[in-house]
Amino acid sequence: RANDVQRVVLEAYDALAKNGKPSAGQYTTLCGFVMTRGADDDGSSNGVVVALGTGCKCVPAHRRDGEGYVLADSHAEVIARRAFVRWLMEQARAAAVGERSSAFERNDDDNDDGDDDGEAWCDAAAPFVRARRRGALVRVRAGVEFHMYCSQPPCGDASVFDRPDARRRASRD
């Protein structure tokens, strides 16, 4: 499945216009979130890219804007995660109000007020939180899974690797 996730993210990136992509001799990190709904008969996943981002570093302190108009962290993972969270919120809101959502469905099994008038209620800012007026929550559709692909290891503590000389010293001890 990992190869399928990588493939659909790379295909989505390749399908984008050249404008804004690195030139020859340059590189960027690519990150994407993929939604799958089980596997096809041949075992491959039928993934759909729901968020994509590129980037590689933070903006230097001297380039930051005190008004918040310059994006300070443009790591691919951050950009893609922001897009993914926005997509999730849009999908959850749609499901909560009875519109089509590919990822979520209304959870009418847990209606705590006993009033089944068909009215869906959702606070757009927090669709995953139970509404006091109504028990209409959303849930991820059966069989739906989300996967993240990143072309480079994340920086920071998540990318701590053993140094080759440290491994040699440890093997001698």
Side-chain angles (χ1 to χ4, degrees):
R1 182 163 289 195
N3 289 337
D4 294 329
V5 169
Q6 176 189 22
R7 179 184 46 77
V8 297
V9 170
L10 293 175
E11 287 173 355
Y13 179 73
D14 289 343
L16 296 173
K18 177 65 179 150
N19 187 23
K21 290 183 178 178
S23 303
Q26 296 178 322
Y27 74 94
T28 190
T29 302
L30 171 65
C31 183
F33 287 87
V34 175
M35 179 181 70
T36 59
R37 293 185 193 94
D40 291 337
D41 293 338
D42 65 357
S44 64
S45 105
N46 50 1
V48 176
V49 176
V50 297
L52 196 62
T54 61
C56 56
K57 62 181 176 178
C58 292
V59 173
H62 72 277
R63 302 283 310 264
R64 293 190 184 167
D65 174 25
E67 301 292 318
Y69 292 112
V70 175
L71 187 61
D73 189 344
S74 62
H75 285 83
E77 310 91 310
V78 173
I79 302 299
R81 181 191 170 279
R82 288 178 180 171
F84 182 54
V85 168
R86 181 176 178 162
W87 181 85
L88 286 173
M89 297 298 281
E90 290 169 356
Q91 291 289 308
R93 185 215 50 83
V97 299
E99 296 173 3
R100 186 180 181 288
S101 169
S102 56
F104 295 97
E105 62 189 4
R106 282 189 47 191
N107 183 10
D108 292 326
D109 298 341
D110 193 22
N111 188 353
D112 58 356
D113 67 0
D115 179 16
D116 191 17
D117 59 6
E119 174 194 357
W121 185 87
C122 174
D123 179 352
F128 299 107
V129 178
R130 177 182 303 276
R132 288 189 189 132
R133 294 185 354 195
R134 181 108 172 107
L137 295 174
V138 297
R139 62 182 169 211
V140 175
R141 290 183 179 278
V144 169
E145 295 178 350
F146 298 101
H147 312 271
M148 181 179 122
Y149 165 78
C150 194
S151 63
Q152 299 286 324
C155 63
D157 291 341
S159 65
V160 174
F161 300 102
D162 288 335
R163 291 184 7 215
D165 59 327
R167 277 184 265 160
R168 280 194 299 270
R169 276 197 309 269
S171 66
R172 283 184 275 167
D173 294 340

